[in-house]
Amino acid sequence: MYGLAAIQQANGWAMAGAGACIVLSGLAVLSFLISMLPRFTSLIEKNPKPAPAPPVAKPKVVKPAPETLPDDLETVAGIYKVLTEEIGEVFSLVDLHRKTKEMQLPHPHLSINRLREAGILVPKGDGNFSWQPSSE
């Protein structure tokens, strides 16, 4: 006798079902034990250390930007010079644009272009710029 009739005759279907149930219940017990491991290890440890709290960053205070910048280029240059004090003496326009966006200044492209055309913002090569020394 061969095939499905032989499986039926030897109680193969019952054995296959019982085997599947045994395997699935074993896996369920194993997964339960694995999920309980952290609780068991905390009982064994003498001084469980709490997880360190992440550092709290201070919120950045941003002053509200004016609706428009003054028409006087020297005043505009003074505002932009204050922004570049943190960057350094020589800075890239990308850093200057990033600072103007943080401070929410209106029309940074136009203002920087006006400062370049007036010779107040001097190129230093390799995309870096600096301020023209003031004649005070």
Side-chain angles (χ1 to χ4, degrees):
M1 184 181 310
Y2 297 103
L4 294 177
I7 294 173
Q8 179 74 26
Q9 183 67 30
N11 292 329
W13 298 113
M15 282 194 270
C21 288
I22 291 170
V23 168
L24 287 177
S25 60
L27 289 175
V29 169
L30 182 64
S31 66
F32 176 73
L33 291 176
I34 289 174
S35 70
M36 297 304 290
L37 274 179
R39 292 185 186 180
F40 291 135
T41 57
S42 67
L43 293 175
I44 296 171
E45 290 180 354
K46 293 182 180 178
N47 288 331
K49 296 179 183 176
V56 178
K58 293 191 294 186
K60 196 172 194 179
V61 178
V62 177
K63 297 186 297 186
E67 293 287 326
T68 60
L69 288 176
D71 289 332
D72 181 28
L73 275 181
E74 292 298 324
T75 308
V76 173
I79 293 170
Y80 276 76
K81 283 181 184 178
V82 171
L83 293 177
T84 59
E85 286 177 353
E86 294 177 4
I87 302 172
E89 187 71 28
V90 178
F91 52 89
S92 70
L93 289 184
V94 174
D95 295 334
L96 183 58
H97 279 283
R98 188 176 305 121
K99 285 286 191 184
T100 57
K101 287 189 186 275
E102 286 176 8
M103 296 303 295
Q104 299 174 352
L105 291 176
H107 310 294
H109 293 289
L110 296 175
S111 301
I112 292 172
N113 192 29
R114 286 177 53 204
L115 292 171
R116 287 185 63 201
E117 288 174 353
I120 298 173
L121 195 57
V122 181
K124 293 292 183 182
D126 292 331
N128 293 324
F129 289 81
S130 70
W131 298 106
Q132 178 185 10
S134 59
S135 57
E136 295 177 4

Short mmCIF file of all heavy atoms in Angstrom, two decimals, residues 3-66:
data_model
loop_
_atom_site.label_atom_id
_atom_site.label_comp_id
_atom_site.label_asym_id
_atom_site.label_seq_id
_atom_site.Cartn_x
_atom_site.Cartn_y
_atom_site.Cartn_z
N GLY A 3 1.01 5.83 -0.82
CA GLY A 3 0.29 7.08 -1.01
C GLY A 3 -0.55 7.48 0.19
O GLY A 3 -0.29 7.13 1.34
N LEU A 4 -1.66 8.16 -0.10
CA LEU A 4 -2.52 8.70 0.94
C LEU A 4 -3.23 7.60 1.73
O LEU A 4 -3.51 7.76 2.92
CB LEU A 4 -3.56 9.65 0.32
CG LEU A 4 -3.00 10.94 -0.30
CD1 LEU A 4 -4.12 11.74 -0.95
CD2 LEU A 4 -2.27 11.78 0.72
N ALA A 5 -3.47 6.50 1.09
CA ALA A 5 -4.13 5.38 1.78
C ALA A 5 -3.23 4.82 2.86
O ALA A 5 -3.69 4.45 3.95
CB ALA A 5 -4.50 4.30 0.78
N ALA A 6 -1.91 4.78 2.62
CA ALA A 6 -0.97 4.27 3.61
C ALA A 6 -0.88 5.23 4.80
O ALA A 6 -0.78 4.80 5.96
CB ALA A 6 0.41 4.10 2.98
N ILE A 7 -0.95 6.55 4.53
CA ILE A 7 -0.93 7.54 5.61
C ILE A 7 -2.18 7.38 6.48
O ILE A 7 -2.11 7.41 7.70
CB ILE A 7 -0.82 8.97 5.03
CG1 ILE A 7 0.52 9.16 4.32
CG2 ILE A 7 -0.99 10.02 6.13
CD1 ILE A 7 0.65 10.47 3.58
N GLN A 8 -3.30 7.21 5.82
CA GLN A 8 -4.57 7.03 6.53
C GLN A 8 -4.54 5.76 7.38
O GLN A 8 -4.99 5.78 8.52
CB GLN A 8 -5.71 6.97 5.51
CG GLN A 8 -7.07 6.76 6.10
CD GLN A 8 -7.59 8.02 6.79
OE1 GLN A 8 -7.20 9.11 6.44
NE2 GLN A 8 -8.45 7.83 7.77
N GLN A 9 -4.02 4.66 6.84
CA GLN A 9 -4.01 3.37 7.53
C GLN A 9 -3.12 3.40 8.77
O GLN A 9 -3.47 2.80 9.79
CB GLN A 9 -3.50 2.28 6.56
CG GLN A 9 -3.52 0.91 7.12
CD GLN A 9 -4.94 0.41 7.38
OE1 GLN A 9 -5.90 0.78 6.71
NE2 GLN A 9 -5.08 -0.44 8.41
N ALA A 10 -1.99 4.16 8.75
CA ALA A 10 -1.04 4.16 9.87
C ALA A 10 -1.26 5.34 10.81
O ALA A 10 -0.37 5.69 11.59
CB ALA A 10 0.38 4.20 9.32
N ASN A 11 -2.41 6.00 10.73
CA ASN A 11 -2.72 7.18 11.56
C ASN A 11 -1.71 8.31 11.34
O ASN A 11 -1.31 9.01 12.26
CB ASN A 11 -2.80 6.82 13.04
CG ASN A 11 -3.97 5.94 13.35
OD1 ASN A 11 -5.01 6.04 12.69
ND2 ASN A 11 -3.83 5.11 14.36
N GLY A 12 -1.28 8.50 10.12
CA GLY A 12 -0.30 9.53 9.76
C GLY A 12 -0.82 10.94 9.95
O GLY A 12 -0.07 11.85 10.35
N TRP A 13 -2.12 11.13 9.68
CA TRP A 13 -2.69 12.48 9.82
C TRP A 13 -2.69 12.90 11.29
O TRP A 13 -2.38 14.05 11.62
CB TRP A 13 -4.10 12.52 9.27
CG TRP A 13 -4.18 12.20 7.81
CD1 TRP A 13 -4.76 11.12 7.24
CD2 TRP A 13 -3.64 12.98 6.73
NE1 TRP A 13 -4.63 11.14 5.88
CE2 TRP A 13 -3.93 12.30 5.54
CE3 TRP A 13 -2.92 14.16 6.66
CZ2 TRP A 13 -3.54 12.76 4.29
CZ3 TRP A 13 -2.54 14.63 5.41
CH2 TRP A 13 -2.85 13.93 4.25
N ALA A 14 -3.00 12.02 12.17
CA ALA A 14 -3.01 12.33 13.60
C ALA A 14 -1.60 12.60 14.11
O ALA A 14 -1.38 13.51 14.92
CB ALA A 14 -3.64 11.19 14.37
N MET A 15 -0.65 11.80 13.63
CA MET A 15 0.73 12.02 14.05
C MET A 15 1.26 13.36 13.52
O MET A 15 1.98 14.08 14.23
CB MET A 15 1.62 10.86 13.56
CG MET A 15 1.49 9.62 14.40
SD MET A 15 2.79 8.45 14.06
CE MET A 15 2.04 7.51 12.75
N ALA A 16 0.91 13.73 12.29
CA ALA A 16 1.36 15.01 11.72
C ALA A 16 0.75 16.17 12.50
O ALA A 16 1.43 17.17 12.82
CB ALA A 16 0.97 15.10 10.25
N GLY A 17 -0.53 16.08 12.84
CA GLY A 17 -1.18 17.12 13.63
C GLY A 17 -0.58 17.25 15.02
O GLY A 17 -0.35 18.35 15.52
N ALA A 18 -0.33 16.08 15.67
CA ALA A 18 0.27 16.10 17.01
C ALA A 18 1.68 16.68 16.96
O ALA A 18 2.08 17.46 17.84
CB ALA A 18 0.30 14.69 17.58
N GLY A 19 2.43 16.36 15.93
CA GLY A 19 3.79 16.89 15.79
C GLY A 19 3.78 18.41 15.60
O GLY A 19 4.59 19.13 16.20
N ALA A 20 2.85 18.89 14.78
CA ALA A 20 2.75 20.34 14.57
C ALA A 20 2.37 21.05 15.86
O ALA A 20 2.91 22.12 16.18
CB ALA A 20 1.74 20.64 13.46
N CYS A 21 1.46 20.47 16.60
CA CYS A 21 1.04 21.08 17.88
C CYS A 21 2.20 21.11 18.88
O CYS A 21 2.39 22.09 19.59
CB CYS A 21 -0.14 20.32 18.47
SG CYS A 21 -1.67 20.61 17.58
N ILE A 22 2.97 20.02 18.93
CA ILE A 22 4.11 19.96 19.84
C ILE A 22 5.14 21.03 19.48
O ILE A 22 5.66 21.75 20.34
CB ILE A 22 4.73 18.55 19.85
CG1 ILE A 22 3.78 17.55 20.50
CG2 ILE A 22 6.08 18.54 20.55
CD1 ILE A 22 4.19 16.10 20.34
N VAL A 23 5.45 21.17 18.19
CA VAL A 23 6.44 22.15 17.75
C VAL A 23 5.97 23.57 18.04
O VAL A 23 6.72 24.40 18.56
CB VAL A 23 6.76 21.96 16.24
CG1 VAL A 23 7.55 23.13 15.70
CG2 VAL A 23 7.51 20.66 16.02
N LEU A 24 4.70 23.87 17.71
CA LEU A 24 4.20 25.23 17.94
C LEU A 24 4.13 25.57 19.42
O LEU A 24 4.45 26.69 19.82
CB LEU A 24 2.83 25.40 17.28
CG LEU A 24 2.85 25.49 15.75
CD1 LEU A 24 1.44 25.59 15.21
CD2 LEU A 24 3.67 26.68 15.30
N SER A 25 3.72 24.63 20.25
CA SER A 25 3.67 24.91 21.68
C SER A 25 5.08 25.07 22.25
O SER A 25 5.31 25.90 23.13
CB SER A 25 2.89 23.83 22.42
OG SER A 25 3.50 22.58 22.23
N GLY A 26 6.02 24.31 21.76
CA GLY A 26 7.42 24.47 22.19
C GLY A 26 7.97 25.83 21.82
O GLY A 26 8.67 26.50 22.61
N LEU A 27 7.66 26.30 20.61
CA LEU A 27 8.11 27.62 20.20
C LEU A 27 7.45 28.73 21.02
O LEU A 27 8.08 29.73 21.35
CB LEU A 27 7.83 27.84 18.71
CG LEU A 27 8.71 27.04 17.74
CD1 LEU A 27 8.23 27.25 16.30
CD2 LEU A 27 10.16 27.46 17.87
N ALA A 28 6.18 28.54 21.36
CA ALA A 28 5.49 29.54 22.18
C ALA A 28 6.13 29.61 23.57
O ALA A 28 6.35 30.71 24.11
CB ALA A 28 4.01 29.20 22.28
N VAL A 29 6.43 28.46 24.18
CA VAL A 29 7.07 28.46 25.49
C VAL A 29 8.45 29.08 25.41
O VAL A 29 8.84 29.88 26.28
CB VAL A 29 7.13 27.01 26.05
CG1 VAL A 29 8.03 26.93 27.28
CG2 VAL A 29 5.74 26.50 26.36
N LEU A 30 9.20 28.77 24.37
CA LEU A 30 10.53 29.33 24.21
C LEU A 30 10.48 30.85 24.06
O LEU A 30 11.27 31.58 24.67
CB LEU A 30 11.22 28.69 23.00
CG LEU A 30 12.65 29.13 22.72
CD1 LEU A 30 13.56 28.72 23.87
CD2 LEU A 30 13.14 28.54 21.42
N SER A 31 9.54 31.36 23.26
CA SER A 31 9.45 32.81 23.09
C SER A 31 9.02 33.49 24.39
O SER A 31 9.49 34.59 24.72
CB SER A 31 8.48 33.16 21.96
OG SER A 31 7.16 32.79 22.31
N PHE A 32 8.17 32.85 25.17
CA PHE A 32 7.77 33.40 26.48
C PHE A 32 8.98 33.48 27.41
O PHE A 32 9.18 34.48 28.10
CB PHE A 32 6.66 32.55 27.09
CG PHE A 32 6.27 33.00 28.46
CD1 PHE A 32 5.53 34.16 28.64
CD2 PHE A 32 6.66 32.26 29.57
CE1 PHE A 32 5.18 34.57 29.92
CE2 PHE A 32 6.31 32.67 30.85
CZ PHE A 32 5.57 33.83 31.02
N LEU A 33 9.78 32.41 27.45
CA LEU A 33 10.96 32.41 28.31
C LEU A 33 11.96 33.47 27.89
O LEU A 33 12.57 34.14 28.74
CB LEU A 33 11.61 31.02 28.32
CG LEU A 33 10.81 29.91 29.01
CD1 LEU A 33 11.52 28.57 28.86
CD2 LEU A 33 10.60 30.26 30.47
N ILE A 34 12.14 33.65 26.60
CA ILE A 34 13.07 34.68 26.13
C ILE A 34 12.57 36.07 26.49
O ILE A 34 13.34 36.95 26.87
CB ILE A 34 13.29 34.53 24.61
CG1 ILE A 34 14.12 33.28 24.33
CG2 ILE A 34 13.99 35.76 24.03
CD1 ILE A 34 14.27 32.97 22.86
N SER A 35 11.25 36.28 26.41
CA SER A 35 10.72 37.60 26.77
C SER A 35 10.85 37.87 28.27
O SER A 35 10.86 39.03 28.68
CB SER A 35 9.26 37.71 26.34
OG SER A 35 8.44 36.88 27.14
N MET A 36 10.94 36.84 29.10
CA MET A 36 11.07 37.02 30.54
C MET A 36 12.52 37.15 31.00
O MET A 36 12.77 37.42 32.17
CB MET A 36 10.42 35.83 31.26
CG MET A 36 8.92 35.71 31.02
SD MET A 36 8.00 37.17 31.44
CE MET A 36 8.13 37.17 33.19
N LEU A 37 13.50 36.96 30.12
CA LEU A 37 14.91 37.03 30.50
C LEU A 37 15.30 38.35 31.16
O LEU A 37 16.02 38.33 32.16
CB LEU A 37 15.80 36.75 29.29
CG LEU A 37 16.09 35.29 28.99
CD1 LEU A 37 16.96 35.16 27.76
CD2 LEU A 37 16.74 34.61 30.17
N PRO A 38 14.88 39.50 30.66
CA PRO A 38 15.27 40.75 31.33
C PRO A 38 14.79 40.82 32.78
O PRO A 38 15.49 41.34 33.65
CB PRO A 38 14.62 41.85 30.49
CG PRO A 38 14.45 41.24 29.15
CD PRO A 38 14.20 39.79 29.40
N ARG A 39 13.63 40.27 33.08
CA ARG A 39 13.13 40.28 34.46
C ARG A 39 13.96 39.34 35.34
O ARG A 39 14.23 39.65 36.50
CB ARG A 39 11.67 39.87 34.50
CG ARG A 39 10.78 40.91 33.86
CD ARG A 39 9.34 40.56 34.01
NE ARG A 39 8.53 41.51 33.26
CZ ARG A 39 7.22 41.48 33.20
NH1 ARG A 39 6.56 40.54 33.84
NH2 ARG A 39 6.57 42.38 32.50
N PHE A 40 14.34 38.19 34.80
CA PHE A 40 15.15 37.26 35.58
C PHE A 40 16.53 37.84 35.84
O PHE A 40 17.06 37.70 36.94
CB PHE A 40 15.28 35.91 34.86
CG PHE A 40 13.99 35.13 34.80
CD1 PHE A 40 13.60 34.51 33.63
CD2 PHE A 40 13.18 34.99 35.93
CE1 PHE A 40 12.42 33.79 33.57
CE2 PHE A 40 12.00 34.27 35.87
CZ PHE A 40 11.61 33.68 34.69
N THR A 41 17.12 38.49 34.85
CA THR A 41 18.46 39.04 35.05
C THR A 41 18.43 40.22 36.00
O THR A 41 19.40 40.44 36.73
CB THR A 41 19.08 39.47 33.71
OG1 THR A 41 18.21 40.41 33.07
CG2 THR A 41 19.34 38.30 32.80
N SER A 42 17.34 40.98 36.05
CA SER A 42 17.27 42.09 37.01
C SER A 42 17.18 41.58 38.44
O SER A 42 17.59 42.25 39.37
CB SER A 42 16.09 43.01 36.69
OG SER A 42 14.87 42.34 36.91
N LEU A 43 16.63 40.38 38.62
CA LEU A 43 16.60 39.79 39.96
C LEU A 43 17.98 39.34 40.40
O LEU A 43 18.31 39.40 41.59
CB LEU A 43 15.63 38.60 39.99
CG LEU A 43 14.14 38.91 39.81
CD1 LEU A 43 13.34 37.63 39.74
CD2 LEU A 43 13.66 39.78 40.96
N ILE A 44 18.78 38.87 39.47
CA ILE A 44 20.10 38.36 39.78
C ILE A 44 21.10 39.49 40.02
O ILE A 44 21.96 39.40 40.90
CB ILE A 44 20.60 37.43 38.65
CG1 ILE A 44 19.69 36.20 38.57
CG2 ILE A 44 22.04 37.01 38.87
CD1 ILE A 44 19.95 35.33 37.37
N GLU A 45 20.99 40.58 39.28
CA GLU A 45 21.92 41.70 39.42
C GLU A 45 21.75 42.33 40.79
O GLU A 45 20.64 42.44 41.32
CB GLU A 45 21.65 42.75 38.35
CG GLU A 45 22.03 42.31 36.97
CD GLU A 45 21.74 43.39 35.92
OE1 GLU A 45 21.15 44.43 36.27
OE2 GLU A 45 22.11 43.18 34.77
N LYS A 46 22.87 42.81 41.35
CA LYS A 46 22.82 43.40 42.68
C LYS A 46 22.27 44.82 42.64
O LYS A 46 21.40 45.17 43.41
CB LYS A 46 24.21 43.39 43.30
CG LYS A 46 24.69 41.99 43.60
CD LYS A 46 26.03 42.00 44.25
CE LYS A 46 26.47 40.56 44.51
NZ LYS A 46 27.77 40.48 45.10
N ASN A 47 22.83 45.66 41.79
CA ASN A 47 22.39 47.05 41.67
C ASN A 47 22.06 47.36 40.22
O ASN A 47 22.93 47.79 39.46
CB ASN A 47 23.47 48.01 42.16
CG ASN A 47 23.64 47.99 43.65
OD1 ASN A 47 22.69 47.72 44.37
ND2 ASN A 47 24.84 48.26 44.13
N PRO A 48 20.84 47.16 39.83
CA PRO A 48 20.53 47.54 38.45
C PRO A 48 20.61 49.06 38.31
O PRO A 48 20.03 49.80 39.10
CB PRO A 48 19.10 47.02 38.25
CG PRO A 48 18.54 46.88 39.62
CD PRO A 48 19.70 46.62 40.54
N LYS A 49 21.38 49.49 37.35
CA LYS A 49 21.59 50.93 37.14
C LYS A 49 20.52 51.45 36.19
O LYS A 49 20.26 50.85 35.16
CB LYS A 49 22.97 51.18 36.56
CG LYS A 49 24.07 50.78 37.51
CD LYS A 49 25.42 51.01 36.92
CE LYS A 49 26.50 50.53 37.87
NZ LYS A 49 27.82 50.65 37.29
N PRO A 50 19.91 52.58 36.55
CA PRO A 50 18.91 53.14 35.64
C PRO A 50 19.59 53.70 34.40
O PRO A 50 20.76 54.09 34.43
CB PRO A 50 18.26 54.26 36.46
CG PRO A 50 19.30 54.63 37.47
CD PRO A 50 20.07 53.37 37.76
N ALA A 51 18.86 53.72 33.33
CA ALA A 51 19.41 54.25 32.08
C ALA A 51 19.65 55.75 32.24
O ALA A 51 18.84 56.46 32.83
CB ALA A 51 18.44 53.99 30.93
N PRO A 52 20.79 56.24 31.73
CA PRO A 52 21.07 57.67 31.86
C PRO A 52 20.07 58.49 31.03
O PRO A 52 19.69 58.11 29.94
CB PRO A 52 22.49 57.83 31.32
CG PRO A 52 22.69 56.65 30.43
CD PRO A 52 21.84 55.55 31.02
N ALA A 53 19.67 59.59 31.61
CA ALA A 53 18.72 60.47 30.92
C ALA A 53 19.44 61.20 29.79
O ALA A 53 20.60 61.60 29.93
CB ALA A 53 18.14 61.48 31.89
N PRO A 54 18.79 61.34 28.65
CA PRO A 54 19.45 62.06 27.55
C PRO A 54 19.62 63.53 27.92
O PRO A 54 18.80 64.11 28.65
CB PRO A 54 18.47 61.89 26.38
CG PRO A 54 17.15 61.61 27.02
CD PRO A 54 17.46 60.90 28.30
N PRO A 55 20.70 64.16 27.46
CA PRO A 55 20.93 65.56 27.79
C PRO A 55 19.85 66.44 27.17
O PRO A 55 19.41 66.22 26.05
CB PRO A 55 22.30 65.87 27.18
CG PRO A 55 22.49 64.83 26.14
CD PRO A 55 21.73 63.62 26.60
N VAL A 56 19.42 67.40 27.95
CA VAL A 56 18.37 68.30 27.49
C VAL A 56 19.02 69.53 26.88
O VAL A 56 19.82 70.22 27.53
CB VAL A 56 17.46 68.72 28.68
CG1 VAL A 56 16.40 69.69 28.23
CG2 VAL A 56 16.84 67.49 29.31
N ALA A 57 18.72 69.77 25.62
CA ALA A 57 19.28 70.93 24.93
C ALA A 57 18.43 72.15 25.24
O ALA A 57 17.21 72.08 25.29
CB ALA A 57 19.32 70.68 23.43
N LYS A 58 19.12 73.27 25.45
CA LYS A 58 18.39 74.50 25.71
C LYS A 58 17.75 74.98 24.41
O LYS A 58 18.38 74.91 23.35
CB LYS A 58 19.34 75.58 26.24
CG LYS A 58 19.90 75.26 27.62
CD LYS A 58 20.61 76.44 28.22
CE LYS A 58 21.85 76.81 27.45
NZ LYS A 58 22.64 77.86 28.07
N PRO A 59 16.52 75.43 24.49
CA PRO A 59 15.89 75.92 23.26
C PRO A 59 16.59 77.19 22.79
O PRO A 59 16.99 78.04 23.58
CB PRO A 59 14.44 76.20 23.68
CG PRO A 59 14.49 76.35 25.17
CD PRO A 59 15.65 75.52 25.64
N LYS A 60 16.76 77.26 21.50
CA LYS A 60 17.45 78.39 20.90
C LYS A 60 16.49 79.56 20.81
O LYS A 60 15.39 79.44 20.28
CB LYS A 60 17.96 78.00 19.51
CG LYS A 60 18.98 78.94 18.97
CD LYS A 60 19.57 78.38 17.70
CE LYS A 60 20.82 79.11 17.32
NZ LYS A 60 21.40 78.57 16.12
N VAL A 61 16.91 80.68 21.32
CA VAL A 61 16.08 81.87 21.29
C VAL A 61 16.37 82.63 20.01
O VAL A 61 17.51 83.01 19.74
CB VAL A 61 16.36 82.76 22.52
CG1 VAL A 61 15.53 84.03 22.46
CG2 VAL A 61 16.09 81.99 23.79
N VAL A 62 15.33 82.82 19.22
CA VAL A 62 15.48 83.54 17.97
C VAL A 62 14.66 84.82 18.08
O VAL A 62 13.46 84.77 18.36
CB VAL A 62 14.99 82.68 16.77
CG1 VAL A 62 15.08 83.46 15.48
CG2 VAL A 62 15.79 81.41 16.70
N LYS A 63 15.35 85.94 17.86
CA LYS A 63 14.63 87.21 17.89
C LYS A 63 13.80 87.35 16.63
O LYS A 63 14.21 86.89 15.56
CB LYS A 63 15.63 88.38 17.95
CG LYS A 63 16.47 88.39 19.21
CD LYS A 63 17.32 89.62 19.30
CE LYS A 63 18.32 89.67 18.17
NZ LYS A 63 19.26 90.76 18.25
N PRO A 64 12.64 87.96 16.74
CA PRO A 64 11.83 88.15 15.53
C PRO A 64 12.54 89.09 14.56
O PRO A 64 13.13 90.08 14.95
CB PRO A 64 10.52 88.75 16.04
CG PRO A 64 10.84 89.28 17.40
CD PRO A 64 12.00 88.48 17.92
N ALA A 65 12.50 88.73 13.30
CA ALA A 65 13.18 89.51 12.27
C ALA A 65 12.31 90.70 11.88
O ALA A 65 11.09 90.65 11.97
CB ALA A 65 13.44 88.64 11.05
N PRO A 66 12.95 91.76 11.43
CA PRO A 66 12.17 92.90 10.97
C PRO A 66 11.46 92.56 9.66
O PRO A 66 11.86 91.65 8.94
CB PRO A 66 13.22 93.99 10.77
CG PRO A 66 14.50 93.26 10.53
CD PRO A 66 14.39 91.99 11.34
#
